Structures are given as C-alpha cells and as structure tokens.
Amino acid sequence: MTDQQANSERLQRALGYQFADKSLLQLALTHRSVGGRNNERLEFLGDSIVNHIIAEALYRQFPDAREGDMSRMRASLVKGDTLAEVARELDLGEHLLLGPGERKSGGKRRGSILADGLEAVAGAILIDSDVAACRNCVLTWFRERLDLLSLDGADKDAKTLLQEYLQGRRSPLPEYELLGVVGEDHEQQFYVACRIAKPVLVVEGDGSSRRKAEQAAARTALARLETHGKSE
C-alpha cells in the first residue's frame, strides 16, 4: 500500500465511511486553488445535505421546540467555525489538496477552507451512497455537539464559556493543540493543550476524543481564570 493509499484509508476510518468511488473523495479534498476540477460543486451539495440532516435531527430531538429555537441551534452547528472545528477533529486539513499559494499561506489550517472541505466530503458521501449513509456519518460527526444542546442554552459547553469569558475581557481567543494520542483505534485517549495569551496560561486536558480532551482543557482553564479573577 502506498503512502497516499494509507492516508486515504486513515481518513476514511476517521470519517466512518469507505468510498466505493475513491475519486469522489479525492475531488472533495481538492480546493479550487488547484485548478478547474475542484470541490466547489460537492461543497454546494454538502452544504444543503448537512443543513437538512441537522435540521431533521433537531426536529426529532426537541419535539417541543419552536421554529426560532431550532433555527438558533441549527445556526450554531452549521456555522463556519463549527464546521471547521469538526474538520480539525477529523484531521481533514492534512488530507486537503491545495495549490502552491494556499499551501504556503497555511491553507490547511484556515477555517473557511476546512469548513468547505467538510461540506464537500458530505456531498461526496451522498453521491457515493445515499441519504441514509450520509446521515449516519454527519450525525456521528456532530453527535457530541447535538447532545450538548438545550432549548434554554443554559448548559453551554466549556469551550464556548471560555471563549465568551475571554471575549468579555477583550483577550485573545484560546488555542488548542493536540499533544498526542495513546491506545488502539477502538480505545484511544487524546491529550490536548489549551493556550491562552492574556493572561498567560497553559493547561492540558484528556479524553476519549479530541473534542472531549479540548472540553476538559477548557474547563480547567476556565476554573483557573475564575479563581485568579476572584483573588485579584
């Protein structure tokens, strides 16, 4: 197996889907900076199907929710920042195909490119299979975020609370770095660092997924900041 094939297999395991037509996956990962044949059409399709799947999930999960409530929750899940977060958790950036200029400017880490790539992958899964298979994948990618939602928004996750805490004090947003992954595929433990520039603070967190590790680190950082604020 070549390195390219191994990388493709690793990504497909992370996505939770094996492509029958591998060229669709390659097309979904190809940014427009590469040339005329790129992922923009798949992104267009993926944007629609992700919105549909999330809307349907919210409709079923919150039978008493009003239209406005569901619109608010859907917007929080399908906005670019959230899509980029999901893409990072899937390590999608390392598999994107970019033109020389985008590669040099750090395109694999750019939120808009990651978000577009994730939507393109969802579109590719839809074309390669059907709505049911695409739904299974998208709901798996968003499951933890869906589980954290509530109608009153009172139980915001730690990362959101930390971001709001820092924004309220005009401080730079936190940065998260994956430090390592330990264990077999079915029983992995992720270790993440959360770095804050002002006030200077570095904490670590761990969990059974990258998102859970980031949440754990954010909870620790928030607790430290709140304790520090009370002592001032």
Side-chain angles (χ1 to χ4, degrees):
M1 182 182 292
T2 66
D3 288 345
Q4 183 177 0
Q5 289 172 327
N7 288 337
S8 176
E9 288 301 314
R10 185 167 63 252
L11 175 59
Q12 289 176 91
R13 285 195 298 272
L15 295 172
Y17 181 80
Q18 288 289 320
F19 278 84
D21 182 356
K22 299 294 194 295
S23 67
L24 274 171
L25 175 58
Q26 184 173 16
L27 181 61
L29 298 171
T30 303
H31 186 254
R32 64 177 177 270
S33 60
V34 172
R37 183 167 168 76
N38 56 59
N39 64 6
E40 287 185 322
R41 281 170 51 83
L42 286 174
E43 176 201 334
F44 166 81
L45 184 61
D47 174 72
S48 297
I49 192 63
V50 169
N51 270 274
H52 168 81
I53 290 168
I54 295 300
E56 181 186 8
L58 293 171
Y59 181 89
R60 296 181 184 279
Q61 185 171 333
F62 298 99
D64 298 324
R66 295 177 180 272
E67 178 189 357
D69 294 325
M70 291 190 293
S71 294
R72 172 181 57 80
M73 290 187 286
R74 181 181 62 180
S76 73
L77 291 173
V78 301
K79 65 182 180 181
D81 289 347
T82 305
L83 293 171
E85 278 188 5
V86 174
R88 290 187 184 98
E89 291 163 9
L90 296 169
D91 205 22
L92 192 66
E94 294 305 310
H95 303 272
L96 292 174
L97 303 175
L98 306 174
E102 285 292 354
R103 284 201 304 271
K104 290 179 181 177
S105 65
K108 290 187 175 184
R109 297 186 299 276
R110 187 168 299 129
S112 59
I113 291 178
L114 288 168
D116 292 347
L118 185 72
E119 289 178 334
V121 168
I125 292 173
L126 178 64
I127 294 297
D128 193 61
S129 55
D130 52 31
V131 173
C134 189
R135 180 185 293 111
N136 288 338
C137 289
V138 172
L139 291 181
T140 299
W141 303 344
F142 285 86
R143 175 49 54 199
E144 291 180 19
R145 289 172 171 81
L146 283 165
D147 289 344
L148 285 168
L149 289 175
S150 72
L151 284 178
D152 59 14
D155 54 349
K156 293 180 180 178
D157 63 84
K159 288 180 66 177
T160 300
L161 290 170
L162 177 60
Q163 179 173 314
E164 291 177 351
Y165 180 97
L166 294 170
Q167 285 177 327
R169 288 157 179 77
R170 301 184 182 278
S171 298
L173 295 181
E175 294 183 356
Y176 297 90
E177 179 188 359
L178 180 63
L179 299 176
V181 183
V182 177
E184 301 297 327
D185 285 349
H186 65 284
E187 202 174 50
Q188 290 183 324
Q189 193 74 1
F190 292 72
Y191 295 86
V192 165
C194 172
R195 292 186 170 86
I196 296 172
K198 181 183 177 183
V200 177
L201 178 66
V202 180
V203 299
E204 295 182 9
D206 63 272
S208 56
S209 70
R210 180 167 180 168
R211 175 167 173 77
K212 288 181 179 178
E214 289 179 351
Q215 293 287 353
R219 280 193 295 273
T220 300
L222 192 59
R224 296 267 188 90
L225 289 171
E226 289 176 339
T227 301
H228 176 73
K230 290 176 183 176
S231 64
E232 290 181 340

